[in-house]
């Protein structure tokens, strides 16, 4: 009985189970061959080097045509994010369709971490199990997913 109680109170156990489930959810959502993500002003970068060195964006290839809105701001988080995706893709030798699993996993995983941190710091009366269930429920909520990938990308 004490072993079960120890596992129940183990933060590592909840993280491990949640990460396995998030990996499986991400893998299920791999795009078919020759498909990539595009939504609103956000689109999946096919070639990081070309995108970065040409300063292209989803609006226009030319900052003149886009009225100054076509180039990305190198101080925003899109450059490190896409660099991270590109690095993992090259390391794991993923094609463009398989990169979608990375996009999904990073969204799910970092959302999960941020919500568990928030719950721990703001709602310390919740036990570990409750914190992880709430965080996991938030992450797999389709409305949150929609707002991130469609509205804010």
């Amino acid at each position: 009985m004490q072993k079960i109680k120890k596992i129940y109170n183990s933060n590592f156990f909840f993280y491990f189970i949640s990460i396995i489930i998030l990996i499986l959810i991400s893998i299920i959502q791999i795009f078919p061959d020759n498909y990539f993500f595009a939504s609103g002003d956000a689109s999946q970068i096919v070639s990081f080097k070309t995108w970065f060195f040409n300063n292209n964006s989803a609006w226009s290839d030319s900052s003149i045509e886009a009225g100054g809105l076509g180039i990305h701001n190198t101080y925003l988080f899109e450059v490190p994010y896409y660099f991270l995706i590109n690095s993992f893709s090259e390391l794991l030798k993923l094609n463009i369709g398989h990169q979608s699993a990375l996009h999904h996993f990073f969204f799910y995983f970092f959302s999960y971490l941020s919500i568990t941190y928030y719950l721990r710091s703001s709602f310390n009366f919740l036990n570990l199990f409750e914190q992880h269930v709430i965080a996991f429920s938030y992450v797999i909520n389709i409305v949150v997913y929609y707002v991130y990938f469609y509205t804010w990308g």
Side-chain angles (χ1 to χ4, degrees):
M1 189 64 156
Q2 281 186 334
K3 256 189 175 176
I4 293 173
K5 198 172 196 177
K6 189 174 182 181
I7 290 173
Y8 178 78
N9 291 325
S10 171
N11 212 15
F12 174 79
F13 174 74
F14 291 115
Y15 276 119
F16 180 76
I17 296 298
S18 297
I19 288 171
I20 296 298
I21 293 170
L22 295 177
I23 288 171
L24 293 174
I25 291 171
S26 300
I27 290 172
I28 289 169
Q29 299 184 61
I30 288 179
F31 292 158
D33 288 339
N34 301 319
Y35 281 77
F36 67 96
F37 179 80
S39 172
D41 290 336
S43 62
Q44 185 175 347
I45 303 303
V46 176
S47 169
F48 177 78
K49 290 177 186 174
T50 303
W51 172 77
F52 183 76
F53 289 112
N54 291 333
N55 286 330
N56 293 340
S57 76
W59 287 326
S60 170
D61 292 345
S62 166
S63 62
I64 295 169
E65 292 173 15
L69 299 174
I71 58 174
H72 63 265
N73 183 343
T74 56
Y75 298 107
L76 293 177
F77 293 107
E78 65 183 2
V79 174
Y81 174 78
Y82 284 121
F83 178 76
L84 185 65
I85 291 286
N86 182 64
S87 299
F88 274 100
S89 296
E90 287 181 0
L91 180 69
L92 300 173
K93 301 195 184 318
L94 300 177
N95 69 27
I96 196 69
H98 295 141
Q99 282 183 13
S100 62
L102 285 179
H103 288 281
H104 290 285
F105 179 72
F106 285 160
F107 167 72
Y108 294 140
F109 179 68
F110 289 115
S111 295
Y112 185 78
L113 288 181
S114 65
I115 294 300
T116 53
Y117 174 77
Y118 168 72
L119 290 172
R120 227 173 257 131
S121 60
S122 299
F123 297 95
N124 55 6
F125 58 86
L126 296 172
N127 65 36
L128 279 177
F129 178 75
E130 292 167 337
Q131 290 172 2
H132 287 280
V133 167
I134 292 169
F136 194 75
S137 299
Y138 172 82
V139 169
I140 62 171
N141 182 340
I142 193 68
V143 174
V144 171
Y145 179 79
Y146 167 80
V147 169
Y148 176 75
F149 275 107
Y150 182 73
T151 307
W152 304 109

